[in-house]
Amino acid sequence: MKNFTSVYDIDNLQEIIAKALKIKENPLENPTKGKGKTIGLVFLNSSLRTRLSSQIAAQNLGFNVLILNAAQEAWNLEFADGTVMNGDTVEHIKDAIEVLNQYCDIIAVRCFAGMKNKEDDVNESILSQFLKYAKVPVVSLESATRHPLQSLADCITITENWPEDRKPKVVLTWAPHIKPIAQAVGNSFTEWMQQMDVDFVITNPEGYDLDKNFTKDTPVIHDQYKALKDADFVYVKNWSSFDDYANMPKVEGNWMLTNEKLALTNDAKVMHCLPVRRNLELSDEIMDGENSIIYQQAKNRIFSAQAVFSEILDELK
């Protein structure tokens, strides 16, 4: 594994899930595997689980860990090529990455969608520059279009809760929000589910279909009640419109998941990547109920990161 930015960087999904589950049994089994190596965790956006889980995972392997909250602690970065830097930006991204090349053996970066220019986001205007200028492996801690470490943790969590007697039905359902949210988690989860042996469907209101480059042949159902029927897993997530980019078309009806809707399922386990706006995206009764495996998901973020970092170390040695 040279870089890790999507499911397509994984040679065998089931093997890395198995590796992560083995790591979970004993996270400190290889505490010196990363000894003498430095990983730089670069955050251009806020983070709780991604930052802490990645740091724990790296420390479990013996890495020296550098954390840079670039939006608060670094110079204002310029991302455009050929620009005359006579404004607020102080350092060009290519220079910053070249310095990181000198300090780090792996660069992990978190960069959200700008939600202003569709073309920039679809083309990963920030992550693509890290991949272009980095001379060491790059790990995506979430980008404009994907959240691969979250998706790997989701696959681990589903595997741990796999029903014994059937192929599970997994439903990705849209949820309400107060502001436009990027499609990265929905896109990424969709790609990873397409590589799992599950029956997978997406349900969202009209006007909120994800990019067809990600959904491909996955069924998209605009009736949430119909989609939830007989589900074994329900993944709840908000996203803004892709076609009417970064906007929030009017939605009819209440799309928040409740116990009443959960009764339509096969006693489904409920998932969410967090943070969650309680009683807007998910009701308290769901969040705090026995069907929620949301905190299990959050814990598995450690082991998804540790499995990926370990795979990259194998390439470095």
Side-chain angles (χ1 to χ4, degrees):
M1 186 188 301
K2 167 61 176 169
N3 299 308
F4 179 76
T5 64
S6 78
V7 69
Y8 302 113
D9 292 318
I10 299 293
D11 290 334
N12 187 307
L13 178 54
Q14 290 304 315
E15 283 183 5
I16 199 164
I17 291 172
K19 180 171 186 170
L21 288 170
K22 185 174 185 298
I23 288 170
K24 187 173 182 177
E25 293 175 1
N26 184 5
L28 295 176
E29 184 176 4
N30 294 301
T32 61
K33 186 170 184 177
K35 185 177 181 181
K37 301 292 185 184
T38 297
I39 184 168
L41 306 179
V42 181
F43 293 91
L44 300 177
N45 304 97
S46 5
S47 177
L48 190 155
R49 279 149 300 279
T50 299
R51 171 173 172 163
L52 297 181
S53 62
S54 300
Q55 184 174 359
I56 293 167
Q59 289 173 338
N60 286 346
L61 292 167
F63 275 100
N64 177 40
V65 183
L66 302 180
I67 299 176
L68 177 63
N69 295 307
Q72 293 84 34
E73 300 169 351
W75 300 112
N76 289 340
L77 292 170
E78 177 61 56
F79 295 95
D81 282 334
T83 189
V84 176
M85 292 175 54
N86 59 358
D88 293 336
T89 55
V90 178
E91 183 161 29
H92 200 282
I93 187 63
K94 68 173 68 174
D95 301 319
I97 295 172
E98 184 54 46
V99 171
L100 290 170
N101 286 331
Q102 312 305 313
Y103 298 160
C104 304
D105 299 283
I106 299 174
I107 299 171
V109 59
R110 182 178 178 91
C111 49
F112 290 170
M115 304 291 286
K116 295 178 180 178
N117 184 302
K118 183 176 184 177
E119 184 178 359
D120 283 350
D121 289 344
V122 168
N123 292 327
E124 295 283 6
S125 62
I126 297 176
L127 179 63
S128 63
Q129 295 197 58
F130 277 84
L131 293 168
K132 178 178 179 180
Y133 296 118
K135 298 173 183 174
V136 299
V138 172
V139 174
S140 171
L141 301 177
E142 188 172 3
S143 68
T145 64
R146 295 181 172 97
H147 197 349
L149 284 178
Q150 177 65 56
S151 298
L152 176 53
D154 299 337
C155 292
I156 295 164
T157 307
I158 288 173
T159 300
E160 288 180 309
N161 292 277
W162 198 276
E164 294 181 0
D165 57 343
R166 63 189 175 279
K167 181 197 302 190
K169 178 181 178 181
V170 180
V171 178
L172 171 64
T173 180
W174 182 92
H177 210 284
I178 64 168
K179 63 181 182 179
I181 301 294
Q183 299 93 27
V185 172
N187 289 342
S188 192
F189 185 72
T190 296
E191 284 188 326
W192 288 70
M193 286 302 101
Q194 289 164 351
Q195 303 297 318
M196 294 279 282
D197 186 23
V198 299
D199 292 327
F200 178 57
V201 301
I202 302 169
T203 183
N204 55 257
E206 297 278 0
Y208 285 87
D209 288 1
L210 294 168
D211 183 353
K212 288 182 172 56
N213 287 319
F214 291 94
T215 59
K216 298 178 181 175
D217 295 329
T218 298
V220 178
I221 301 172
H222 296 132
D223 183 334
Q224 187 186 37
Y225 288 87
K226 180 179 178 181
L228 289 173
K229 184 174 172 54
D230 298 326
D232 296 291
F233 297 90
V234 180
Y235 198 114
V236 179
K237 187 69 180 83
N238 173 266
W239 57 86
S240 57
S241 176
F242 178 74
D243 290 334
D244 185 13
Y245 193 68
N247 287 312
M248 300 170 66
K250 184 178 179 181
V251 173
E252 300 292 338
N254 181 8
W255 279 73
M256 182 180 72
L257 188 66
T258 62
N259 277 342
E260 180 184 2
K261 293 179 182 179
L262 201 62
L264 300 167
T265 72
N266 192 15
D267 198 27
K269 302 297 184 183
V270 179
M271 305 174 71
H272 191 288
C273 64
L274 296 176
V276 64
R277 289 181 180 260
R278 283 174 175 254
N279 301 310
L280 179 65
E281 294 178 84
L282 273 174
S283 59
D284 281 337
E285 64 184 9
I286 294 286
M287 280 293 300
D288 302 326
E290 61 183 15
N291 289 66
S292 172
I293 53 174
I294 291 168
Y295 302 129
Q296 182 181 351
Q297 270 179 280
K299 184 171 183 178
N300 283 336
R301 290 296 308 276
I302 298 171
F303 313 114
S304 67
Q306 194 164 333
V308 167
F309 295 163
S310 180
E311 289 277 305
I312 292 175
L313 277 173
D314 290 339
E315 290 289 322
L316 293 177
K317 293 182 176 180

